Amino acid sequence: MTEEAQIEEQAIVEASKLSRIYGSGTTLVAAVTNVNLSVFRGEILLVMGPSGSGKTTLLSLIGGLLRPTSGTIRFGGHDLTSMSESERARLRRDNIGFVFQDFNLLSALTARENVEVALNLAGITGKRAVVRAELLLDQLGLSERAGFIPAKLSGGEKQRVAIARALANDPLLILADEPTANLDSYHGLAVVHRLAEIAQDEQRTVIIVSHDERLKEIATRVMWMEDGQLSESGPPTKRLAADAAGGYVTYRPRHVDHHEPTHPTNKV
Amino acid sequence: MVPVARKNLLADKIRLVVSIGGVTFAVILILVVRSLYQGYYREIGAFVDALPVDVWVTQTDSGGLVYSSTVPIDTGTRLSQIPGVARTVAMDRQRLRLEFDGSPVDVIAMAFDLPQSAGSQLGLELPGPGEITIDAATAKKADIHAGDVIDVRGLSFRVSRITSAANLGLSGLAIVSWSDADVLTGIPGYVSSWLVTLVPGTDSSAVIAAIDQNVSGLQAFSRKEYADANRSQVSGTFLPIITVLFTVSFLVGSAVVGITIYTSVTERLREFGVLKAIGASTRTLYRVVLQQSVIVCTVGFAVGVPATYVINRTARSLVPEFITLMRWQDSLLAFGIVLGMAFVASMLPIRRIAGIDPAEVFRG
């Protein structure tokens, strides 16, 4: 096997015996228990499960927002658990895009500025940041809404702005927490499509936690989480249901192409 | 760079205006007090500064013009014999309560042993017998005009002119002729001070040393030393008060800005969490908070400085003794204090931000 192929084989995210416990004594809650997980480049992993099953905690651990109580988690081969707070902040900034259920846009900033902020954090400022932010918003069909503050945007528009912000620094991994939960079905499906395109066209890894069954259509792998434990729940649906009447394109997800000549950890 | 701090502040304009108003108030308080101090400090020594006198001679340990001093009149002869002394002029002065139109008028009244026509030797226009000169601030306050008659210890004096010569800061100034000097101290054979003019080129410190050595019971001051002796009254009286007022202003300003910024940060705690989650360092977030405080404080300062000018001018026109002097050094001091406020006001919000758990942003 060539070195390049070996690198391609390397998981973007690799969790081993990952556990996270909240509280202590009688209030002790094991949110995530002994999770082993490998996620590869280009994968769209959908984690489903009932409320309180530990999905969001798992996402926070993968994103370096939380430290595990035990076990390890590696991103692009680097051990997140041994990193300092500032190292993890840098890693998130440069390699991970976040999409939140509540959009979490900065209310005082316009759509464009919300995207620009993420670029500014990575040291991209001035005209370069403006051009990049406008390009991303344009790709998401928001060029006309770039100058509006979140309060003036619809839910779907806000989530697309959030996606643009998540993509701002060209991350290897997108973490999405219930990205369609606060959207109507039309906008929910639009977001689903966009996430699928992000994974397919740009060979990014997308991890989604959601209750939304529609997301199974784009997932390359679906896992089930319950009582803090993660399990494989069978093969994903291979096609997003084409709905010509709704104007949605068919998306055929693809498993990791190990021959793609890209370094998965080149930004880490 | 997206101006997150400015945008956060502008998101609630009423709160922004209130917080800027708080800082402006603090700046005005600081600058008015400071300019009042500087105004009095200058004014109380200005009379001494303005008189073309090289050495002031008073009774030992009698301090400035407001303190009583009695010097035997024959000491003048001994002073004139000291090498380098060109001329000596006797001065009588006394703190008096005049009466005008049934109301008391407090002044330090003076008389100089010079003919009326020789007043120019001291840069003054001296009144004639039965006349009195009053400084402009006192005249305005007591509504005294030239030609009015004032009662001085039971004697009537006609106001010959209103002089623009500095008043004495903490007291008004009145001048009577030497022939009326008895109305002041009333002690025959004594005067209050000697005003000594030196031969050009003479070293005043040598003359002062000679006076101290040869004429017992007298104390000699250079003009600057005597002006400073007068000014020390202001610094001694005002400085503790000013320190208290400065501290109060600082605390009021810091509290107003602190509450504003704290509220603004608390309201946006989740957004700060989002910024943390997407990779903002804690230092970046601190900078946003500090920028917010600095913006509020700087705008408050920028409004406060011209507002102080307007207030000082208006107050002076209404209250004649409201003597102020605005110096750029004091504005700089106020700006330093304001920056200190910004820093102090940021401490609590920064502590709050430090405690934000970025994982919270995933919890709805």
Side-chain angles (χ1 to χ4, degrees), chain B residues 12 49-50 78 92 102 121 138 146 159-160 170 179 220 230 233 248 258 271 294 316 322 340:
Chain B
D12 189 338
D49 279 336
R78 287 152 69 189
D92 249 0
Q121 288 180 23
T138 306
V159 178
S160 59
L170 299 176
S179 60
N230 283 280
Q233 269 183 273
V248 169
E271 295 186 3
V294 169
R316 180 71 199 263
F322 201 90

Side-chain angles (χ1 to χ4, degrees), chain A residues 2 8 41 60 97 142 145 151 192 230-231 233 243 247 260 266:
Chain A
T2 65
E8 291 300 321
R41 191 174 181 86
S60 299
L142 287 168
R145 311 291 282 168
V192 166
L230 192 65
S231 60
S233 64
D243 185 347
E260 286 281 335
N266 58 352

